[in-house]
Structures are given as C-alpha cells and as structure tokens.
Amino acid sequence: MLPDTGIPTLTPGYAAVPPGHLATIVTSLEMLRPPPPRPGRPFPPGLALEPLARTDPETYRTLFREVGADWLWFSRLTLADGALAAILADGDVEIFALRRDGRNVGMLELDFRRPGTCELVFLGLTGDAVGTGIGRTLMNAAIGRAWARPITRFWVHTCTLDHPGALAFYRRSGFVPFAVHVEVAPDPRLDGTLPRACAPHVPRLD
C-alpha cells in the first residue's frame, strides 16, 4: 500500500519541477471483494498468457521495456539486479508474458507478498495490441487469479504517464480510487534508461 503518512501534503498553488525530472499524478485504487464478471472474449488463436520462467533480470527487463517504454515505465529498469532477482524468485509473485507467435505483446504481474492482499503491479500491452479488446481479457485473467487466493484486498496504482484511458479502465473493472499522490522522479530518457525518443507526448525538461 502506498503510505498515507510520512508524505508531505501539498499546498494549493504551483510547485517547480527540477530540470531533468518528471512530475506525475498517481491514483491508487482498490477492490475489497470480487466484482461482477465483465464480458470478455477468450484470447484469440495464437495468443497465450504464459508464466515467465524464473530467469535472469535482463530477460524480465526485456519484457518490461517492450510493454512499458511507450508509457515511460522505468521502476524495474533502475532496480538493482539482486533486488529484482529476489522478486523474480519469490513464489508469491506471479509474472506472465502475453505472447503471440513467440513475440511478447503484453505482461501481467501480481504480488501476493503482503498477507491477505494482492497488488496488480503491472498490466499492459504493446502499442500494436492496444485497442484490440484483449486488455479486457487480460484484466479478467488478473481479477480471476487474484481472487482465487484468500485475499480481502486487490489494489493497483496508475499515473498520468499511463495510457489516457487507464484510470477509467480500472474503474470499469471494479477498482475504486482511495488515494492520490504526486511523484517527482528523474526522467529515464535523459540517463539512457530508456531511449530519448520514447513517449514523445511527455515533454522533456533537459
């Protein structure tokens, strides 16, 4: 859970973002019981959700980049190898690649390490798969897997760097907002973590 204490409360008005950084509004959402099922067609032939083999961090990061670079996902790219390897090896973390003919087109990551809780850490599609309807199927799979375990809370956070329809999609899926934060972080395009041409819709302050 994102902490509700220890984070300074913003006062009304403007605040300057340092050069070389990004500011994003983060919305946290939760569901406290399984939602009514939403219609979703099965994955089409040739498309399959496959568990990611417990493998080296760079294999995971390749999947992470392929799905998240357009939205400036960078958190796992800057995580130390040892810390990421520990997550990959944990039996309470489920990671799946959505593949079409051997090519990654999406990912799903669920974290059950906190008792009674599941975090939807990552759910996303590559650009050519967005808008095809398989996002609903992938979310239905996430909800089903989460509530198949003895949890009382399923939660996720999204931010203004994500697809503009992400927040509404989560709400339609049964999640309810419970907190809003502002995050300021170094722009991952300026230090080589991600290519400079990524996410042209997000201005660089370099």
Side-chain angles (χ1 to χ4, degrees):
M1 179 189 302
L2 291 175
D4 294 322
T5 60
I7 298 178
T9 299
L10 294 176
T11 57
Y14 286 90
V17 176
H21 287 65
L22 297 169
T24 179
I25 298 173
V26 180
T27 302
S28 298
L29 308 96
E30 64 184 358
M31 60 172 69
L32 304 180
R33 62 188 60 83
R38 286 188 62 89
R41 58 186 183 221
F43 290 125
L47 198 65
L49 192 61
E50 302 175 3
L52 190 70
R54 301 299 172 181
T55 186
D56 64 283
E58 196 50 44
T59 298
Y60 171 91
R61 290 189 182 115
T62 297
L63 171 65
F64 188 86
R65 288 188 190 96
E66 289 174 343
V67 174
D70 287 343
W71 314 110
L72 293 187
W73 290 9
F74 64 88
S75 59
R76 291 292 169 77
L77 302 180
T78 57
L79 194 63
D81 281 355
L84 180 54
I87 294 172
L88 297 177
D90 197 306
D92 284 327
V93 177
E94 298 184 357
I95 304 170
F96 299 87
L98 184 62
R99 292 194 171 109
R100 177 189 290 128
D101 301 324
R103 186 176 69 86
N104 295 324
V105 296
M107 75 175 293
L108 168 63
E109 184 170 336
L110 301 170
D111 187 339
F112 295 92
R113 290 178 293 175
R114 183 171 181 166
T117 297
C118 177
E119 179 185 357
L120 177 54
V121 186
F122 297 109
L123 183 150
L125 301 172
T126 56
D128 59 338
V130 172
T132 63
I134 62 176
R136 167 52 50 201
T137 307
L138 185 59
M139 175 59 80
N140 287 352
I143 292 171
R145 296 195 68 88
W147 289 103
R149 294 214 193 184
I151 65 169
T152 58
R153 182 172 182 264
F154 187 28
W155 80 282
V156 64
H157 68 265
T158 185
C159 74
T160 47
L161 295 178
D162 284 335
H163 187 283
L167 181 57
F169 176 71
Y170 288 128
R171 297 185 73 162
R172 289 195 304 271
S173 300
F175 291 96
V176 177
F178 71 89
V180 176
H181 297 87
V182 174
E183 179 182 16
V184 177
D187 190 325
R189 297 168 295 185
L190 301 183
D191 63 3
T193 300
L194 287 170
R196 290 178 67 88
C198 282
H201 60 288
V202 180
R204 295 193 311 264
L205 297 180
D206 53 359

